[in-house]
Amino acid sequence: MSRGGLIKERDEPERRCIVTGEVQPKRGLIRFVAGPDGTVFPDLAEKLPGRGIWIAADRAAIDKAAAKGLFSRAAKAPVKAPEGLADLVEAGLARRVIELVSLARKSGIAVAGFEKVKGWLAEGRAKVLLQASDGSERGKGKLWTPTGGRWFGCLTASELGLSFGRDHVIHGALAAGGLTDKVILEAGRLTGLRGHDGGNTAAGKE
């Protein structure tokens, strides 16, 4: 299992983290590339040209790479990491999760609100339960992780609200689908940057 909490699949591409030295599935890692000016930046979509430098989706690992000059060692050239690199990665991942959930909503496979989410959970329709990290623990504890599914609490109420076109949202659910699989991937990485969701848990969280 990767640091992002994602289970390795057969024949899944793997890369070595330059900080831990561990080889693990790409989905649990962040790709970095160096620009023409020698500045390192995250390639979250993994599409930019250049030699990829991979680090576990973990704030401490990214901070260590920047502080210890590990990017230059991996690139075999003098490169520099910008200030607050881990913050840049976190912000970028948060945007990706928000945008993906928004697309899922527009595709009809995502709902928000306690009653709608509870209904989807009861019907077995939900594959992912999303709950705001700053929501009430009492309220969140009344819902449960979908059987065979996932729970994430890596977004704030205002961030989750952006996905649903509202000021704030505490509870959201996603049905199975390609977009949901992408949400699971990116939310797993974001959880690695933000820690274990601030300690917020749903009943039955795996």
Short mmCIF file of all heavy atoms in Angstrom, two decimals, residues 75-132:
data_model
loop_
_atom_site.label_atom_id
_atom_site.label_comp_id
_atom_site.label_asym_id
_atom_site.label_seq_id
_atom_site.Cartn_x
_atom_site.Cartn_y
_atom_site.Cartn_z
N ALA A 75 18.62 14.99 -10.22
CA ALA A 75 18.69 15.55 -11.57
C ALA A 75 20.10 15.49 -12.15
O ALA A 75 20.29 15.70 -13.35
CB ALA A 75 18.20 17.00 -11.55
N LYS A 76 21.06 15.21 -11.26
CA LYS A 76 22.47 15.20 -11.66
C LYS A 76 22.87 16.53 -12.29
O LYS A 76 23.62 16.59 -13.26
CB LYS A 76 22.74 14.04 -12.63
CG LYS A 76 22.48 12.68 -12.00
CD LYS A 76 22.76 11.55 -12.98
CE LYS A 76 22.49 10.19 -12.31
NZ LYS A 76 22.72 9.06 -13.23
N ALA A 77 22.30 17.59 -11.72
CA ALA A 77 22.56 18.95 -12.19
C ALA A 77 22.12 19.90 -11.09
O ALA A 77 21.26 19.56 -10.27
CB ALA A 77 21.79 19.24 -13.48
N PRO A 78 22.71 21.10 -11.03
CA PRO A 78 22.29 22.06 -10.01
C PRO A 78 20.89 22.62 -10.30
O PRO A 78 20.69 23.32 -11.29
CB PRO A 78 23.36 23.16 -10.10
CG PRO A 78 23.86 23.07 -11.51
CD PRO A 78 23.82 21.61 -11.85
N VAL A 79 19.93 22.26 -9.48
CA VAL A 79 18.57 22.78 -9.60
C VAL A 79 18.15 23.32 -8.24
O VAL A 79 18.75 23.00 -7.22
CB VAL A 79 17.57 21.70 -10.07
CG1 VAL A 79 17.94 21.19 -11.45
CG2 VAL A 79 17.52 20.54 -9.07
N LYS A 80 17.14 24.15 -8.22
CA LYS A 80 16.69 24.75 -6.97
C LYS A 80 15.20 24.55 -6.77
O LYS A 80 14.42 24.57 -7.73
CB LYS A 80 17.02 26.25 -6.96
CG LYS A 80 16.43 27.01 -8.14
CD LYS A 80 16.92 28.45 -8.18
CE LYS A 80 16.35 29.18 -9.41
NZ LYS A 80 16.84 30.56 -9.53
N ALA A 81 14.81 24.33 -5.53
CA ALA A 81 13.41 24.18 -5.18
C ALA A 81 12.89 25.53 -4.66
O ALA A 81 13.55 26.16 -3.84
CB ALA A 81 13.23 23.12 -4.11
N PRO A 82 11.75 25.99 -5.15
CA PRO A 82 11.21 27.27 -4.69
C PRO A 82 10.75 27.19 -3.24
O PRO A 82 10.49 26.11 -2.71
CB PRO A 82 10.03 27.51 -5.62
CG PRO A 82 9.59 26.14 -6.02
CD PRO A 82 10.87 25.34 -6.13
N GLU A 83 10.65 28.34 -2.59
CA GLU A 83 10.13 28.39 -1.23
C GLU A 83 8.69 27.86 -1.20
O GLU A 83 7.91 28.12 -2.11
CB GLU A 83 10.14 29.84 -0.72
CG GLU A 83 11.52 30.38 -0.39
CD GLU A 83 12.11 29.72 0.84
OE1 GLU A 83 11.34 29.35 1.74
OE2 GLU A 83 13.34 29.57 0.89
N GLY A 84 8.38 27.10 -0.16
CA GLY A 84 7.02 26.60 -0.01
C GLY A 84 6.60 25.61 -1.08
O GLY A 84 5.45 25.58 -1.50
N LEU A 85 7.53 24.77 -1.53
CA LEU A 85 7.22 23.81 -2.59
C LEU A 85 6.09 22.86 -2.18
O LEU A 85 5.20 22.57 -2.98
CB LEU A 85 8.47 23.01 -2.95
CG LEU A 85 8.32 21.97 -4.07
CD1 LEU A 85 7.85 22.63 -5.36
CD2 LEU A 85 9.64 21.23 -4.30
N ALA A 86 6.13 22.38 -0.94
CA ALA A 86 5.07 21.48 -0.48
C ALA A 86 3.71 22.18 -0.49
O ALA A 86 2.68 21.56 -0.80
CB ALA A 86 5.38 20.96 0.92
N ASP A 87 3.70 23.48 -0.18
CA ASP A 87 2.44 24.23 -0.23
C ASP A 87 1.91 24.32 -1.65
O ASP A 87 0.69 24.26 -1.88
CB ASP A 87 2.65 25.65 0.32
CG ASP A 87 2.93 25.66 1.82
OD1 ASP A 87 2.49 24.72 2.51
OD2 ASP A 87 3.59 26.60 2.29
N LEU A 88 2.83 24.49 -2.62
CA LEU A 88 2.42 24.53 -4.03
C LEU A 88 1.79 23.21 -4.45
O LEU A 88 0.78 23.19 -5.16
CB LEU A 88 3.63 24.84 -4.91
CG LEU A 88 4.23 26.23 -4.84
CD1 LEU A 88 5.48 26.31 -5.73
CD2 LEU A 88 3.21 27.28 -5.29
N VAL A 89 2.41 22.12 -4.02
CA VAL A 89 1.88 20.80 -4.34
C VAL A 89 0.50 20.62 -3.72
O VAL A 89 -0.44 20.18 -4.37
CB VAL A 89 2.83 19.69 -3.85
CG1 VAL A 89 2.21 18.31 -4.09
CG2 VAL A 89 4.18 19.79 -4.57
N GLU A 90 0.38 20.98 -2.45
CA GLU A 90 -0.91 20.84 -1.75
C GLU A 90 -2.01 21.63 -2.43
O GLU A 90 -3.11 21.13 -2.68
CB GLU A 90 -0.77 21.29 -0.30
CG GLU A 90 -2.07 21.19 0.48
CD GLU A 90 -1.95 21.71 1.90
OE1 GLU A 90 -0.84 21.62 2.48
OE2 GLU A 90 -2.95 22.23 2.44
N ALA A 91 -1.72 22.90 -2.77
CA ALA A 91 -2.71 23.75 -3.41
C ALA A 91 -3.11 23.19 -4.77
O ALA A 91 -4.30 23.19 -5.15
CB ALA A 91 -2.17 25.17 -3.57
N GLY A 92 -2.13 22.68 -5.51
CA GLY A 92 -2.42 22.12 -6.82
C GLY A 92 -3.28 20.87 -6.73
O GLY A 92 -4.22 20.69 -7.51
N LEU A 93 -2.98 20.02 -5.77
CA LEU A 93 -3.77 18.80 -5.58
C LEU A 93 -5.19 19.14 -5.14
O LEU A 93 -6.15 18.50 -5.59
CB LEU A 93 -3.10 17.89 -4.56
CG LEU A 93 -1.82 17.19 -5.01
CD1 LEU A 93 -1.17 16.46 -3.85
CD2 LEU A 93 -2.10 16.21 -6.15
N ALA A 94 -5.33 20.12 -4.26
CA ALA A 94 -6.66 20.52 -3.80
C ALA A 94 -7.50 21.00 -4.99
O ALA A 94 -8.68 20.64 -5.11
CB ALA A 94 -6.56 21.61 -2.74
N ARG A 95 -6.89 21.80 -5.87
CA ARG A 95 -7.62 22.27 -7.06
C ARG A 95 -8.05 21.09 -7.93
O ARG A 95 -9.18 21.08 -8.45
CB ARG A 95 -6.74 23.21 -7.88
CG ARG A 95 -6.61 24.61 -7.32
CD ARG A 95 -6.03 25.57 -8.34
NE ARG A 95 -4.69 25.19 -8.77
CZ ARG A 95 -3.58 25.57 -8.16
NH1 ARG A 95 -3.65 26.35 -7.08
NH2 ARG A 95 -2.40 25.19 -8.61
N ARG A 96 -7.19 20.13 -8.08
CA ARG A 96 -7.52 18.97 -8.91
C ARG A 96 -8.69 18.17 -8.32
O ARG A 96 -9.59 17.75 -9.05
CB ARG A 96 -6.29 18.07 -9.07
CG ARG A 96 -5.21 18.70 -9.95
CD ARG A 96 -3.94 17.86 -9.97
NE ARG A 96 -4.09 16.62 -10.72
CZ ARG A 96 -3.99 16.51 -12.04
NH1 ARG A 96 -3.75 17.58 -12.78
NH2 ARG A 96 -4.11 15.34 -12.65
N VAL A 97 -8.68 17.97 -7.00
CA VAL A 97 -9.78 17.23 -6.38
C VAL A 97 -11.09 18.01 -6.52
O VAL A 97 -12.13 17.45 -6.87
CB VAL A 97 -9.48 16.95 -4.89
CG1 VAL A 97 -10.69 16.27 -4.22
CG2 VAL A 97 -8.25 16.06 -4.74
N ILE A 98 -11.04 19.31 -6.25
CA ILE A 98 -12.24 20.15 -6.37
C ILE A 98 -12.81 20.10 -7.78
O ILE A 98 -14.02 19.93 -7.98
CB ILE A 98 -11.91 21.61 -5.97
CG1 ILE A 98 -11.64 21.71 -4.47
CG2 ILE A 98 -13.06 22.55 -6.35
CD1 ILE A 98 -11.00 23.02 -4.04
N GLU A 99 -11.94 20.22 -8.77
CA GLU A 99 -12.39 20.22 -10.16
C GLU A 99 -12.96 18.87 -10.57
O GLU A 99 -13.97 18.79 -11.28
CB GLU A 99 -11.22 20.60 -11.08
CG GLU A 99 -10.81 22.06 -10.95
CD GLU A 99 -9.49 22.37 -11.62
OE1 GLU A 99 -8.89 21.43 -12.22
OE2 GLU A 99 -9.05 23.53 -11.57
N LEU A 100 -12.34 17.79 -10.11
CA LEU A 100 -12.83 16.45 -10.45
C LEU A 100 -14.19 16.18 -9.82
O LEU A 100 -15.08 15.59 -10.46
CB LEU A 100 -11.82 15.40 -10.01
CG LEU A 100 -10.56 15.28 -10.86
CD1 LEU A 100 -9.51 14.44 -10.16
CD2 LEU A 100 -10.89 14.69 -12.23
N VAL A 101 -14.37 16.58 -8.57
CA VAL A 101 -15.67 16.38 -7.91
C VAL A 101 -16.73 17.22 -8.62
O VAL A 101 -17.87 16.78 -8.81
CB VAL A 101 -15.60 16.74 -6.42
CG1 VAL A 101 -16.99 16.66 -5.78
CG2 VAL A 101 -14.64 15.81 -5.68
N SER A 102 -16.35 18.41 -9.05
CA SER A 102 -17.28 19.27 -9.79
C SER A 102 -17.71 18.59 -11.09
O SER A 102 -18.90 18.60 -11.46
CB SER A 102 -16.64 20.62 -10.08
OG SER A 102 -17.51 21.45 -10.83
N LEU A 103 -16.76 18.01 -11.81
CA LEU A 103 -17.09 17.30 -13.04
C LEU A 103 -17.98 16.10 -12.75
O LEU A 103 -18.90 15.80 -13.53
CB LEU A 103 -15.80 16.84 -13.73
CG LEU A 103 -14.94 17.92 -14.38
CD1 LEU A 103 -13.62 17.33 -14.85
CD2 LEU A 103 -15.67 18.57 -15.55
N ALA A 104 -17.73 15.41 -11.64
CA ALA A 104 -18.55 14.27 -11.25
C ALA A 104 -19.99 14.72 -10.97
O ALA A 104 -20.95 14.05 -11.35
CB ALA A 104 -17.95 13.58 -10.03
N ARG A 105 -20.12 15.88 -10.31
CA ARG A 105 -21.46 16.42 -10.05
C ARG A 105 -22.19 16.72 -11.35
O ARG A 105 -23.36 16.37 -11.51
CB ARG A 105 -21.34 17.70 -9.22
CG ARG A 105 -22.66 18.46 -9.05
CD ARG A 105 -22.47 19.73 -8.25
NE ARG A 105 -21.62 20.69 -8.91
CZ ARG A 105 -22.03 21.57 -9.84
NH1 ARG A 105 -23.29 21.57 -10.23
NH2 ARG A 105 -21.18 22.43 -10.37
N LYS A 106 -21.49 17.34 -12.29
CA LYS A 106 -22.11 17.68 -13.57
C LYS A 106 -22.46 16.44 -14.39
O LYS A 106 -23.34 16.49 -15.25
CB LYS A 106 -21.17 18.59 -14.37
CG LYS A 106 -20.97 19.96 -13.72
CD LYS A 106 -19.90 20.78 -14.42
CE LYS A 106 -19.68 22.11 -13.71
NZ LYS A 106 -18.56 22.89 -14.30
N SER A 107 -21.77 15.35 -14.10
CA SER A 107 -22.03 14.09 -14.80
C SER A 107 -23.12 13.27 -14.11
O SER A 107 -23.47 12.18 -14.57
CB SER A 107 -20.75 13.26 -14.89
OG SER A 107 -19.74 13.94 -15.61
N GLY A 108 -23.60 13.77 -12.98
CA GLY A 108 -24.67 13.10 -12.27
C GLY A 108 -24.25 11.96 -11.37
O GLY A 108 -25.09 11.14 -10.95
N ILE A 109 -22.95 11.89 -11.06
CA ILE A 109 -22.50 10.80 -10.18
C ILE A 109 -22.00 11.31 -8.83
O ILE A 109 -21.25 10.62 -8.14
CB ILE A 109 -21.41 9.95 -10.86
CG1 ILE A 109 -20.16 10.78 -11.18
CG2 ILE A 109 -21.95 9.27 -12.11
CD1 ILE A 109 -18.97 9.93 -11.62
N ALA A 110 -22.41 12.52 -8.46
CA ALA A 110 -22.03 13.07 -7.16
C ALA A 110 -23.19 13.86 -6.58
O ALA A 110 -23.89 14.58 -7.31
CB ALA A 110 -20.80 13.98 -7.29
N VAL A 111 -23.40 13.72 -5.28
CA VAL A 111 -24.45 14.47 -4.59
C VAL A 111 -23.88 15.06 -3.31
O VAL A 111 -22.84 14.60 -2.81
CB VAL A 111 -25.67 13.59 -4.24
CG1 VAL A 111 -26.38 13.13 -5.48
CG2 VAL A 111 -25.25 12.41 -3.37
N ALA A 112 -24.54 16.09 -2.79
CA ALA A 112 -24.13 16.73 -1.54
C ALA A 112 -25.33 16.88 -0.62
O ALA A 112 -26.47 16.90 -1.08
CB ALA A 112 -23.51 18.09 -1.83
N GLY A 113 -25.06 16.99 0.67
CA GLY A 113 -26.13 17.15 1.65
C GLY A 113 -26.34 15.87 2.42
O GLY A 113 -26.27 14.76 1.84
N PHE A 114 -26.57 16.00 3.72
CA PHE A 114 -26.67 14.83 4.59
C PHE A 114 -27.69 13.81 4.11
O PHE A 114 -27.38 12.62 3.99
CB PHE A 114 -27.02 15.28 6.01
CG PHE A 114 -27.08 14.15 7.00
CD1 PHE A 114 -25.93 13.71 7.65
CD2 PHE A 114 -28.27 13.51 7.28
CE1 PHE A 114 -25.97 12.66 8.55
CE2 PHE A 114 -28.33 12.45 8.18
CZ PHE A 114 -27.18 12.02 8.82
N GLU A 115 -28.91 14.23 3.81
CA GLU A 115 -29.98 13.29 3.46
C GLU A 115 -29.70 12.58 2.13
O GLU A 115 -29.91 11.37 2.01
CB GLU A 115 -31.33 14.00 3.42
CG GLU A 115 -31.81 14.48 4.79
CD GLU A 115 -31.97 13.35 5.80
OE1 GLU A 115 -32.24 12.20 5.38
OE2 GLU A 115 -31.82 13.60 7.01
N LYS A 116 -29.24 13.33 1.14
CA LYS A 116 -28.95 12.71 -0.16
C LYS A 116 -27.80 11.72 -0.04
O LYS A 116 -27.84 10.62 -0.61
CB LYS A 116 -28.63 13.78 -1.20
CG LYS A 116 -29.83 14.58 -1.66
CD LYS A 116 -29.45 15.55 -2.76
CE LYS A 116 -30.66 16.31 -3.25
NZ LYS A 116 -30.31 17.28 -4.33
N VAL A 117 -26.77 12.10 0.69
CA VAL A 117 -25.63 11.22 0.86
C VAL A 117 -26.03 9.97 1.64
O VAL A 117 -25.66 8.84 1.27
CB VAL A 117 -24.48 11.95 1.59
CG1 VAL A 117 -23.37 10.97 1.97
CG2 VAL A 117 -23.92 13.05 0.70
N LYS A 118 -26.81 10.15 2.68
CA LYS A 118 -27.27 9.01 3.46
C LYS A 118 -28.09 8.06 2.60
O LYS A 118 -27.97 6.83 2.71
CB LYS A 118 -28.11 9.50 4.66
CG LYS A 118 -28.56 8.37 5.59
CD LYS A 118 -29.33 8.94 6.78
CE LYS A 118 -29.76 7.83 7.73
NZ LYS A 118 -30.53 8.37 8.87
N GLY A 119 -28.90 8.63 1.72
CA GLY A 119 -29.71 7.81 0.82
C GLY A 119 -28.85 6.98 -0.13
O GLY A 119 -29.10 5.79 -0.32
N TRP A 120 -27.84 7.61 -0.69
CA TRP A 120 -26.94 6.88 -1.58
C TRP A 120 -26.19 5.79 -0.85
O TRP A 120 -25.98 4.70 -1.38
CB TRP A 120 -25.94 7.86 -2.23
CG TRP A 120 -26.47 8.50 -3.48
CD1 TRP A 120 -27.77 8.78 -3.77
CD2 TRP A 120 -25.71 8.94 -4.60
NE1 TRP A 120 -27.87 9.38 -5.00
CE2 TRP A 120 -26.62 9.49 -5.54
CE3 TRP A 120 -24.35 8.95 -4.90
CZ2 TRP A 120 -26.21 10.03 -6.76
CZ3 TRP A 120 -23.94 9.49 -6.11
CH2 TRP A 120 -24.86 10.01 -7.04
N LEU A 121 -25.79 6.06 0.39
CA LEU A 121 -25.09 5.05 1.18
C LEU A 121 -26.02 3.87 1.48
O LEU A 121 -25.63 2.71 1.37
CB LEU A 121 -24.59 5.66 2.49
CG LEU A 121 -23.40 6.62 2.39
CD1 LEU A 121 -23.19 7.34 3.71
CD2 LEU A 121 -22.13 5.86 2.00
N ALA A 122 -27.25 4.16 1.85
CA ALA A 122 -28.22 3.12 2.18
C ALA A 122 -28.56 2.26 0.96
O ALA A 122 -28.77 1.04 1.07
CB ALA A 122 -29.49 3.75 2.75
N GLU A 123 -28.58 2.89 -0.21
CA GLU A 123 -28.90 2.17 -1.45
C GLU A 123 -27.70 1.40 -2.01
O GLU A 123 -27.85 0.62 -2.95
CB GLU A 123 -29.39 3.17 -2.50
CG GLU A 123 -30.70 3.84 -2.15
CD GLU A 123 -30.99 5.05 -3.03
OE1 GLU A 123 -30.25 5.24 -4.03
OE2 GLU A 123 -31.92 5.80 -2.73
N GLY A 124 -26.52 1.66 -1.44
CA GLY A 124 -25.33 1.01 -1.95
C GLY A 124 -24.81 1.65 -3.23
O GLY A 124 -24.00 1.07 -3.95
N ARG A 125 -25.29 2.86 -3.51
CA ARG A 125 -24.90 3.55 -4.73
C ARG A 125 -23.56 4.28 -4.59
O ARG A 125 -22.83 4.45 -5.56
CB ARG A 125 -25.99 4.55 -5.14
CG ARG A 125 -25.75 5.21 -6.48
CD ARG A 125 -26.92 6.07 -6.89
NE ARG A 125 -26.64 6.73 -8.16
CZ ARG A 125 -27.45 7.62 -8.75
NH1 ARG A 125 -28.59 7.93 -8.17
NH2 ARG A 125 -27.12 8.17 -9.90
N ALA A 126 -23.25 4.71 -3.38
CA ALA A 126 -22.03 5.49 -3.14
C ALA A 126 -20.79 4.61 -3.13
O ALA A 126 -20.77 3.54 -2.53
CB ALA A 126 -22.15 6.25 -1.83
N LYS A 127 -19.75 5.08 -3.79
CA LYS A 127 -18.46 4.41 -3.75
C LYS A 127 -17.48 5.20 -2.89
O LYS A 127 -16.57 4.63 -2.29
CB LYS A 127 -17.88 4.25 -5.16
CG LYS A 127 -16.54 3.53 -5.18
CD LYS A 127 -16.02 3.32 -6.59
CE LYS A 127 -14.69 2.58 -6.58
NZ LYS A 127 -14.16 2.35 -7.94
N VAL A 128 -17.67 6.51 -2.83
CA VAL A 128 -16.79 7.38 -2.04
C VAL A 128 -17.64 8.30 -1.18
O VAL A 128 -18.61 8.89 -1.67
CB VAL A 128 -15.87 8.22 -2.96
CG1 VAL A 128 -15.12 9.26 -2.14
CG2 VAL A 128 -14.89 7.33 -3.70
N LEU A 129 -17.27 8.43 0.09
CA LEU A 129 -17.87 9.39 0.99
C LEU A 129 -16.86 10.51 1.22
O LEU A 129 -15.72 10.25 1.61
CB LEU A 129 -18.24 8.75 2.33
CG LEU A 129 -18.71 9.69 3.45
CD1 LEU A 129 -20.00 10.41 3.05
CD2 LEU A 129 -18.90 8.92 4.76
N LEU A 130 -17.26 11.73 0.94
CA LEU A 130 -16.42 12.90 1.18
C LEU A 130 -17.01 13.69 2.33
O LEU A 130 -18.22 13.98 2.34
CB LEU A 130 -16.38 13.80 -0.07
CG LEU A 130 -15.82 13.18 -1.35
CD1 LEU A 130 -16.07 14.12 -2.53
CD2 LEU A 130 -14.33 12.90 -1.20
N GLN A 131 -16.18 14.04 3.32
CA GLN A 131 -16.65 14.85 4.44
C GLN A 131 -15.65 15.95 4.74
O GLN A 131 -14.43 15.73 4.71
CB GLN A 131 -16.88 13.97 5.68
CG GLN A 131 -18.04 12.99 5.48
CD GLN A 131 -18.37 12.22 6.74
OE1 GLN A 131 -17.51 11.57 7.33
NE2 GLN A 131 -19.61 12.28 7.17
N ALA A 132 -16.16 17.14 5.01
CA ALA A 132 -15.30 18.30 5.24
C ALA A 132 -14.45 18.11 6.49
O ALA A 132 -14.94 17.66 7.53
CB ALA A 132 -16.14 19.56 5.37
#
